[in-house]
Amino acid sequence: MSKTLSYVLVTPYTVAKSRTGGVLSRLLSRTDLELVGAQIFTPDKDFADMYAASLKERAPQNQLVLLADYVKSYFGPSGGRPHRTLLLLFKGENPCGQLLNVCGHLYTQHVEVDALAGETIRDTYADLIFDANNPDEVRYFEPAVLTPRHQDEANNDLRFFANFLDGQENLVQNVKYPDPSKIERTLVIIKPDNWKHNSSRPGTIIDMFSRTGLRIIGIKVHRFSLAQALDFYGPVEAILKKKLAPTFGLKAKEILERAFSFPLSKELTETLGADFGTECAKDQFHQIVEFMSGKRPGQTSGDDINKPGDVKCMILVYEGENAVNKIRDVLGPTDPLQAPEGTVRREFGSNVMVNTAHASDSSESYEREQNIVQISKNSIVSIIREHTGN
């Protein structure tokens, strides 16, 4: 069976309630699909009306009518403010069937609370409440997520989404703050070690960051090119040489003295640190770059240095008061072994390099980093068009 694309739309209410991580955890851990794209966007009234009309036309089923009415009422702006919605794009065999199984079905008849098991995303996060005196009247409805049932529906919807998203910025601005001078942005990278196989880890990490109370205003699936990784981690190279070169020199001294049974002079020890130690520190830097891009410096040349790498990560931008420090408090220090209990790196990190996530350490770092990864751009439109056509 060929691999195709489908999607999950996380509703504005679910995004606003910071349930994004929990939804993503279910989708990644209970399918064998690949997450190939993600984007936060703010639907306008035309988007809501057209998407609702499309849902209504598919079949005169109560579920779709209910969804169509919901989209028309709640996806567009209200009170002059647009709302954040998250599009998740998945690729694999039978993606519509797999995603529908995890998202869950909607029940148009009254279901007792004790009959729900929380097995699907909608069991856990959706609400369908009927009037106590009139079981046929829905008093409150929140579907949590939307996903198509069939591949032709997915293709049509994705083309519609691509046309809407084409040319839009990847960072949304839908809130006016009382004092904008207090608002910071910070960049988070969920690193490649979290994407080696499908698991709940990326979603759990996002869920842990949600306790900061910050808003996600941008998100994308990204593959660092070698050039980007070298630029992004460039400042680390000098730090590694300064910190590690003397240490590697001393280790080399100890090994040589044991092997040849005579002490090395101070001058030779210093030379080992300056030469051999520096080369070892440089190799550590190259390992970091390879870890983030999947490509080893010195083994890629020409235009290939600017091509997307062999491993993926997820990049998010958080916004709010004191955003930099709030995120770094939840992330924990660079060394997972030194990180406090309950932090992201203590929970999921392995060592100072494979430490599961990155976060900007200052507003200045955020500006530099977001330029390197081109956070204002998202490749999701080109991915959709590559697979479905214009």
Side-chain angles (χ1 to χ4, degrees):
M1 183 180 292
S2 61
K3 293 184 178 181
T4 54
L5 295 180
S6 190
Y7 71 88
V8 171
L9 270 182
V10 184
T11 68
Y13 186 79
T14 303
V15 172
K17 295 290 284 185
S18 295
R19 294 168 175 173
T20 303
V23 169
L24 186 60
S25 290
R26 299 281 188 97
L27 294 170
L28 291 175
S29 62
R30 296 183 57 192
T31 70
D32 60 10
L33 303 172
E34 180 186 3
L35 178 68
V36 295
Q39 184 165 353
I40 290 272
F41 68 102
T42 51
D44 60 17
K45 184 177 184 301
D46 288 341
F47 178 99
D49 289 347
M50 293 176 68
Y51 186 39
S54 174
L55 292 172
K56 228 167 210 180
E57 289 172 358
R58 291 174 189 178
Q61 297 179 12
N62 291 339
Q63 297 100 317
L64 293 181
V65 172
L66 207 57
L67 281 176
D69 291 342
Y70 173 87
V71 168
K72 187 176 179 67
S73 299
Y74 297 106
F75 262 56
S78 62
R81 176 188 293 179
H83 305 296
R84 293 171 299 154
T85 298
L86 173 61
L87 173 62
L88 298 171
L89 190 63
F90 292 88
K91 179 180 178 180
E93 296 182 357
N94 186 27
C96 293
Q98 291 197 56
L99 293 174
L100 188 61
N101 285 338
V102 178
C103 289
H105 295 274
L106 291 169
Y107 300 99
T108 55
Q109 70 278 7
H110 179 72
V111 178
E112 293 293 338
V113 172
D114 291 338
L116 299 174
E119 181 180 2
T120 68
I121 290 171
R122 282 179 172 151
D123 277 351
T124 301
Y125 297 116
D127 287 302
L128 183 58
I129 300 174
F130 293 86
D131 189 284
N133 299 316
N134 184 2
D136 294 326
E137 180 181 346
V138 176
R139 296 193 61 184
Y140 177 75
F141 174 56
E142 166 54 50
V145 292
L146 289 88
T147 193
R149 301 165 303 165
H150 308 297
Q151 191 61 54
D152 58 340
E153 296 174 354
N155 292 341
N156 290 333
D157 290 344
L158 288 171
R159 293 188 190 101
F160 169 60
F161 297 159
N163 290 335
F164 178 79
L165 294 172
D166 194 9
Q168 291 203 17
E169 291 287 325
N170 190 47
L171 300 181
V172 303
Q173 301 180 46
N174 68 320
V175 171
K176 293 183 179 179
Y177 297 96
D179 187 354
S181 65
K182 294 182 178 180
I183 303 304
E184 293 179 342
R185 289 180 177 178
T186 190
L187 184 140
V188 166
I189 301 174
I190 301 179
K191 292 183 177 182
D193 52 308
N194 299 288
W195 304 95
K196 290 182 178 180
H197 55 84
N198 279 15
S199 76
S200 63
R201 277 178 57 169
T204 302
I205 291 169
I206 294 173
D207 198 42
M208 293 174 74
F209 283 130
S210 72
R211 68 183 188 229
T212 62
L214 301 170
R215 302 170 67 250
I216 299 174
I217 63 165
I219 184 171
K220 72 174 182 176
V221 175
H222 185 66
R223 293 179 183 269
F224 272 86
S225 68
L226 179 56
Q228 284 180 326
L230 285 167
D231 193 6
F232 195 96
Y233 286 96
V236 174
E237 184 174 13
I239 296 172
L240 290 175
K241 288 179 179 179
K242 182 178 180 179
K243 288 186 175 182
L244 298 182
T247 301
F248 284 126
L250 289 174
K251 287 184 178 179
K253 173 181 180 291
E254 293 172 0
I255 293 171
L256 289 171
E257 287 180 339
R258 284 199 303 270
F260 295 97
S261 301
F262 70 87
L264 299 187
S265 67
K266 179 181 178 182
E267 291 77 10
L268 186 53
T269 300
E270 291 175 350
T271 300
L272 281 172
D275 295 338
F276 176 76
T278 297
E279 283 299 309
C280 288
K282 185 177 180 180
D283 179 71
Q284 290 288 303
F285 172 68
H286 286 179
Q287 287 184 46
I288 293 173
V289 171
E290 184 177 15
F291 171 66
M292 292 301 298
S293 69
K295 296 182 181 294
R296 182 81 173 180
Q299 298 179 0
T300 304
S301 60
D303 291 340
D304 288 345
I305 194 173
N306 294 309
K307 292 181 179 178
D310 299 327
V311 294
K312 75 177 179 184
C313 61
M314 177 178 278
I315 302 178
L316 305 98
V317 174
Y318 288 85
E319 181 180 82
E321 291 190 20
N322 199 25
V324 171
N325 288 335
K326 285 181 178 178
I327 288 293
R328 290 186 69 80
D329 284 345
V330 175
L331 176 64
T334 303
D335 186 352
L337 297 179
Q338 302 300 319
E341 297 288 345
T343 59
V344 170
R345 282 175 170 161
R346 184 56 180 254
E347 291 289 329
F348 299 111
S350 300
N351 52 57
V352 293
M353 182 174 68
V354 186
N355 59 8
T356 210
H358 164 89
S360 306
D361 61 11
S362 66
S363 294
E364 293 74 20
S365 292
Y366 164 75
E367 292 296 335
R368 173 184 172 274
E369 293 167 357
Q370 63 95 13
N371 282 326
I372 293 172
V373 301
Q374 299 179 307
I375 194 61
S376 62
K377 298 179 181 179
N378 198 313
S379 62
I380 199 167
V381 170
S382 60
I383 294 171
I384 291 172
R385 288 178 173 164
E386 179 186 348
H387 287 85
T388 65
N390 291 329

